[in-house]
Each structure stands twice: as C-alpha cells, then as structure tokens.
Amino acid sequence: MSEAGDAKGVFASAAKKVKMGKRVEKALKEKAAASSSQEATEEDANKAPEPYTCIGHFDADFTELCRRAGLPPTEIPPVVLRAKRPGTPPPPDPKAKDPTPPEEPVDVAEEEPKPKTYVTKEKYSYFKPNIQVEMEHEEKPATVTEIYIRGWKIDDMMVDIFRNCFPTIEKLNTINLWNVGLTDKTLRDLAAIFPQCPNLKNVSIEGNPIAEEPWACLIGDDSLIVNLSLRHNEITDRGASGIGAALSTVTTCNKNLISLNLSHNKFSDVGAEAVVKGLRMNRVLLCLSLASNKITDKGAVKFGELLSRFPLTHEEVVERRKLLSDKGSPDRGTGKSPPPSRRAESKDRPGSVRSGSHLDKGDKKRDKSSKKKDNKHEKKNEKEDAGKGNKTVVMMDSKKDKDEGAKGGTKKDDKWKKGAKAVMADTSRHGSRAETVNKTTKGKKTTSSKDKKGGAAPESESPDMVEAINPLLDSVESIDGQLWIPGNRSIINLNLSRNEIGEAGLKSLLLALQYQITLANLAPHPALKGLMRLSLGRNPIRADSEAYQKLQDLLLTRDPFYKPQAKSPDGEVQSLVG
C-alpha cells in the first residue's frame, strides 16, 4: 500500500508540474504578445503620417490640413459662405387678375414676425476667424471662385496649408486679404503660390503695411495677376520704386497686369516718377489709380510727359538699335550664320564680294529658262488638282497686301478694334477695375469655306489679335540730337484725385491729352486709343480754372458712353440718352 501511495504521489506531483509549465508557457506567450503589441503601437506613434492629398474641395482640404498641423478643432477657422445682400423682390405683375389681395385682419395680440433682412448669430462670433468663400454652385464644394480673409493673422503654418490647397482649386479666380498681418516672408511665400493657381486673376492685399515693402514680388515675370489692389499698405517711395521696376525695364515688361490700384498710400513725387519710368515701355496696363498720395505738380508733369511724348535714354537707344538689327536679320538673334553667297565656291572672286551688275548673260538665260520650266510645272499641277476636285491655295503676295491695306485694313484690324471697344466700355463702367483681357494667341486655325466642287481648302493659321509692337520700334522724331517717341496711349483710366496737384500739373496733363487727340486723328491705332478718363477731384485746383474747364470738355467727348446732343427740327437741343 505504501508503494502504491508513493507512486500515486509521484504521479500527482508530475502532473502538477506539467500544469504549472503550461501556465508559465501561456503567461510567457501572453507577455510576449503584449510587448510586441506595445512596440507596434510605439512604432505607429513615432511613424510620420502619410501626406494628405488635396481633392480640390477647399472646405474639406483646409480642415484636414489644419487638423494634421496640430490645431485643435475649436481653433480651426471655419469656411463659410460670404454674406450677400438680399435681392429686391420683383415688381407686381400689372396683368394679374387680383394684384392686391384683400388684407386679412391683423391680430394685435400676435407677435410680429422677425424681418428676414439679417441673420442672428452667437455673441462674438463675428470676431472669430473664418474664411469667407463664394461659389458658382453652393451645393458643389469644388466650385469655389473667391476667397476672402479679413481681420486675423496669417502665419507661416497657415501659408503652408494654403500652399497645398490653393493650387488644387480649379475655379479660384479671386483672393482678397485685408488686415491679415503679413510679413516679408509670408508675402513672398504667397507670391510664389499665386502662379500655381491656374485661373487666379484678381488679388487684393490691403491694410497690410510691411516695413521691407516687397510688393514688387507680386508683379514678377511669371505673375498671372490681371487686377492687383494694394490700397492702405503705407507704401512709400521705396516700395513704389520696386513696383515701377517690375512693371517694365528696357528689356523686360509685365504682360498680364491691366489694372493696378495704389491709392491711399504714402509715396511722393519720387515714387510717382518711378511708376512713370516703369510705364515708359509698358503697353499692357489700362487702369492706374494713385489717389490719396502725396503727388504734386512735379509728379503730374512727369505723367504729362509720359502720356504725350518723351526722349529715349542712352540705354533705350542702344536697345532700339539691337531690336532693329535683329529685325533686319532674323538669324542674328538665333545664333545662326548667314547663308553663304552664291559665288562662295568660285575661285575667280571671293565669296564676300557681291555685285548684281557682274552677273553674266549665261546666268541670266539659265535663270529665265529655269523660271519657265517652273511655271509650266506649276500650271500642270494646277490642272491635275482641278481634275481631282481640289483647289490649291496661293499665298497672298505683297501687291495684294498693299491693295488690302489701302482699302481700309484687314480682318485682324477689325477684330482688334472690336476687342478694344469692349475693353474700353467695360473699363469705363467699372472704374479702376478692369476685367480680364484676352491675350494674343498664336496657332489658332480658322477653317476656310469649301469650294464649289466640294474640296476643302487647307487650314491657315491666323492669330485673333495683332501682337503689340515694342515701343522702341515705334516711329521716332529727332529733336536737338535726341530721339523722341510717342508716349503711352494704352492707359485709358488714370486716377490722381486727392493729391496736391496744382495749376502747373493741370496744364501739363491738358497738353498731353490734346497731343493724344491730335495723334489719334493723324495716325489712328486700332488698340491705342489714349486716355478716356482722368480723375483730378479734391486737388488744390480752382473749379473756374480755364485749363480745368477745357480738360473736362475734352474728357466728355472721350467718354465711351458719351452721346452728343441732337437738335430737333424746331432747333431745340434734345438729349439722346435714354
């Protein structure tokens, strides 16, 4: 019995040890799994999240980028629709059967309904940062067209967020920043983002004084901005000098900006002269506002010279000679060598000596015989093409060009005239703000009409508008050893109101306008119509000044919407307006 009990005890202890071993093994496995899962979570926490790819929905992209940047949900500026003034109700229809329904008796005890002309919001919500947007279709988040940010600081982190989401907004055409505390770095970063937005045309940065005044970075060579407003930025002569240099130099010119608003700043005649210098070679800008600055008669005289005519400087004369040289020999600018002379391989005379009078008779006969063969070959090809039902298109020769020019211009000139009229009418309607102008495009093909036999003539390339001529290639006049060229006639709207311009500056502007009118009558240009609107209000100028009255009379006839008064058969003057 004792042996059996001992064996049973040994067996029980062995079984206990096995159970303990399994428990230990299980505990070790659980501990290893827990440690591995903890290491995995630590690795996930240390691992950088994948970069976010913007989808073009500004609200969703901006919110997600702010969240990834570490902003708490309560501090992320919301994206809201920009408030609009409610539209006026339509007038009652006079043909309606019952235009005035009977009024129901109003119960005085009932509470009067709230008006619908405003929306109530939470207290202080108006002062919280937000981003206002306008969309083509409110139900489609991908149709954001305008972005307005007002009254809160845009720092480096926010600029990085805009760098990711702005270029993906396909229909974005307007960015308006007011009092957002920009610095030199943030402004330059934003200026680098703007060219990446494909349809961005209108930029307004106002109420952002910057000590370094790097405003010229917005008007770089790669800038696509069409309308730029820089009001209330405390721009001095230093900033105006940079803007003038960005508008144009002897060799460069901004080709997109057509409206520039520099009103309510602090530059004087020095800054105005820098802007005038930038407009000497610029024939793209249409509207310029320099209102509410410190411009005196000296600056107004400079504008008078710009608008009438001015002498070329030494650098401009040198550049003009280069352009004329390149125009005379197109291969010079490409680096190609000129074609070798006809007798370059002759041993009797060097190839550099040319003389048409030494052409022997044998050569002339050979030339005549070759021309006859070419003419016969061309006639034969024309007959073959006519038999097939096709018609060859012959390029217009110089004689036909001259005849067409004598008859009154080409179709290109007509298109340019129509485009210029539309731009002038739109500019006069909206004041200093001009809408986008279609730039010169090349390579567009126009399909010609089919001939009588059904054959289609080949397509010919023709631009919609004639390219603008470089001012240095314009006609010059030599006066006292200097070359003078006509002034800037592309500006059609100039605002110099609320400055310090007196009688001397007024007379200079009057002479400039008279010169433009005379030049337009003698040598009309389809696109360069000259100044049409000049604002001089609130300057120290007497209202009864003779020069001021003449200037106003001339500007009245220059107004695109001006209609002269017609006389009735009785001799009374009647207005054609309305």
Side-chain angles (χ1 to χ4, degrees):
M1 290 293 293
S2 60
E3 292 179 359
D6 293 339
K8 189 176 181 180
V10 170
F11 179 78
S13 62
K16 190 176 181 180
K17 288 181 179 179
V18 170
K19 289 182 179 180
M20 289 294 295
K22 288 182 178 180
R23 289 178 181 176
V24 171
E25 186 179 356
K26 186 178 181 181
L28 291 174
K29 287 182 179 180
E30 291 178 356
K31 187 177 181 180
S35 62
S36 62
S37 62
Q38 185 177 1
E39 290 177 359
T41 54
E42 290 178 356
E43 289 179 358
D44 293 340
N46 295 330
K47 186 179 179 180
E50 295 182 1
Y52 177 75
T53 302
C54 296
I55 58 176
H57 297 178
F58 178 64
D59 190 359
D61 293 340
F62 177 75
T63 304
E64 179 62 22
L65 290 172
C66 287
R67 187 185 66 80
R68 289 174 175 246
L71 282 177
T74 56
E75 296 183 7
I76 298 177
V79 178
V80 298
L81 285 175
R82 192 178 183 216
K84 295 182 180 179
R85 179 179 297 177
T88 56
D93 188 5
K95 297 181 180 179
K97 294 182 179 179
D98 192 6
T100 57
E103 297 181 358
E104 297 179 358
V106 180
D107 188 1
V108 183
E110 293 182 2
E111 185 179 357
E112 184 179 355
K114 296 181 180 180
K116 299 180 180 180
T117 56
Y118 67 91
V119 178
T120 58
K121 290 186 178 181
E122 184 186 355
K123 189 177 181 180
Y124 301 123
S125 63
Y126 180 80
F127 302 100
K128 291 181 180 179
N130 61 30
I131 298 180
Q132 302 176 14
V133 297
E134 287 192 7
M135 298 189 292
E136 286 186 354
H137 307 285
E138 295 183 3
E139 65 277 4
K140 296 181 180 179
T143 60
V144 174
T145 57
E146 301 180 12
I147 293 178
Y148 295 81
I149 301 177
R150 296 169 176 256
W152 54 275
K153 184 177 177 60
I154 296 179
D155 54 7
D156 293 336
M157 181 187 67
M158 198 60 62
V159 170
D160 292 336
I161 294 174
F162 292 155
R163 183 182 290 109
N164 292 325
C165 58
F166 275 0
T168 60
I169 307 175
E170 184 180 357
K171 296 182 179 295
L172 180 62
N173 57 57
T174 300
I175 293 178
N176 189 304
L177 308 177
W178 177 80
N179 191 20
V180 293
L182 294 178
T183 62
D184 178 66
K185 182 179 182 302
T186 53
L187 179 65
R188 293 183 184 276
D189 291 342
L190 286 174
I193 297 172
F194 292 159
Q196 302 175 21
C197 304
N199 294 314
L200 182 61
K201 303 298 180 185
N202 310 310
V203 174
S204 177
I205 301 178
E206 302 175 351
N208 288 276
I210 301 176
E212 294 82 2
E213 302 190 37
W215 306 107
C217 64
L218 298 170
I219 320 176
D221 295 337
D222 59 343
S223 174
L224 302 177
I225 300 174
V226 176
N227 302 310
L228 178 62
S229 178
L230 299 175
R231 301 184 303 169
H232 297 282
N233 289 323
E234 299 182 6
I235 300 175
T236 62
D237 295 334
R238 176 186 176 186
S241 300
I243 292 173
L247 287 174
S248 75
T249 61
V250 179
T251 57
T252 62
C253 176
N254 181 283
K255 295 181 174 62
N256 294 312
L257 189 66
I258 65 173
S259 175
L260 178 61
N261 193 338
L262 298 176
S263 61
H264 298 277
N265 285 292
K266 295 184 177 180
F267 56 85
S268 61
D269 294 330
V270 178
E273 188 173 352
V275 175
V276 167
K277 185 178 179 181
L279 294 174
R280 288 169 65 94
M281 299 296 121
N282 187 300
R283 296 297 181 269
V284 180
L285 192 72
L286 300 180
C287 302
L288 176 63
S289 176
L290 302 178
S292 298
N293 282 283
K294 301 177 181 179
I295 302 174
T296 64
D297 287 338
K298 184 178 179 182
V301 169
K302 292 296 181 182
F303 271 100
E305 295 174 357
L306 171 72
L307 298 173
S308 57
R309 60 178 179 174
F310 52 83
L312 296 179
T313 62
H314 175 70
E315 292 80 5
E316 292 169 348
V317 172
V318 172
E319 184 64 21
R320 170 184 165 82
R321 290 174 180 173
K322 290 181 181 179
L323 293 174
L324 291 175
S325 178
D326 294 340
K327 186 178 179 181
S329 56
D331 294 335
R332 183 186 299 273
T334 59
K336 297 180 181 179
S337 59
S341 61
R342 187 178 179 185
R343 291 173 172 261
E345 298 177 0
S346 177
K347 297 180 180 179
D348 298 333
R349 59 186 295 185
S352 60
V353 181
R354 297 180 184 179
S355 176
S357 61
H358 290 82
L359 187 66
D360 56 355
K361 296 180 180 179
D363 291 339
K364 292 182 179 179
K365 291 179 180 179
R366 283 193 296 271
D367 292 340
K368 290 181 180 179
S369 61
S370 62
K371 289 180 180 179
K372 289 181 180 179
K373 290 180 181 180
D374 294 338
N375 292 334
K376 290 180 180 179
H377 186 64
E378 290 176 359
K379 290 180 180 179
K380 185 177 180 181
N381 291 337
E382 289 179 2
K383 290 180 180 179
E384 292 177 357
D385 293 337
K388 294 179 181 179
N390 295 329
K391 209 170 190 178
T392 59
V393 177
V394 182
M395 299 299 293
M396 185 182 294
D397 56 9
S398 59
K399 184 177 180 181
K400 291 182 180 180
D401 287 336
K402 292 179 181 178
D403 295 341
E404 188 174 355
K407 290 179 182 179
T410 62
K411 294 182 179 180
K412 298 179 183 179
D413 294 337
D414 296 337
K415 290 182 180 180
W416 199 349
K417 289 178 182 178
K418 293 178 181 178
K421 289 180 180 178
V423 171
M424 292 163 197
D426 185 73
T427 306
S428 61
R429 187 185 301 112
H430 295 288
S432 62
R433 179 178 177 181
E435 298 297 330
T436 307
V437 180
N438 293 328
K439 298 292 182 281
T440 304
T441 55
K442 293 183 179 180
K444 288 189 177 181
K445 297 183 179 181
T446 56
T447 306
S448 59
S449 60
K450 295 183 179 180
D451 59 1
K452 296 179 181 179
K453 297 183 179 181
E459 296 177 343
S460 59
E461 296 183 359
S462 61
D464 288 343
M465 288 187 180
V466 183
E467 288 188 3
I469 301 175
N470 192 317
L472 293 176
L473 297 178
D474 206 343
S475 59
V476 298
E477 184 178 358
S478 179
I479 301 176
D480 297 334
Q482 289 182 315
L483 296 180
W484 292 66
I485 64 172
N488 190 321
R489 288 188 290 163
S490 64
I491 297 179
I492 60 177
N493 186 3
L494 178 61
N495 189 347
L496 295 175
S497 59
R498 297 186 296 276
N499 279 284
E500 302 172 8
I501 300 174
E503 196 72 19
L506 178 64
K507 290 181 179 179
S508 178
L509 293 171
L510 174 61
L511 291 175
L513 186 59
Q514 291 173 342
Y515 178 85
Q516 285 191 351
I517 295 174
T518 304
L519 188 61
N521 294 331
L522 295 177
H525 196 281
L528 304 179
K529 298 294 184 179
L531 200 61
M532 291 186 173
R533 176 172 294 176
L534 176 62
S535 301
L536 292 172
R538 297 191 180 181
N539 278 286
I541 300 173
R542 292 183 295 106
D544 57 347
S545 171
E546 183 180 356
Y548 184 74
Q549 294 297 332
K550 288 183 179 179
L551 186 63
Q552 294 300 319
D553 294 340
L554 289 176
L555 289 174
L556 181 62
T557 60
R558 303 281 292 170
D559 190 348
F561 297 98
Y562 169 73
K563 294 183 179 180
Q565 294 179 340
K567 290 186 177 181
S568 64
D570 298 336
E572 297 178 357
V573 176
Q574 294 180 349
S575 176
L576 295 179
V577 181

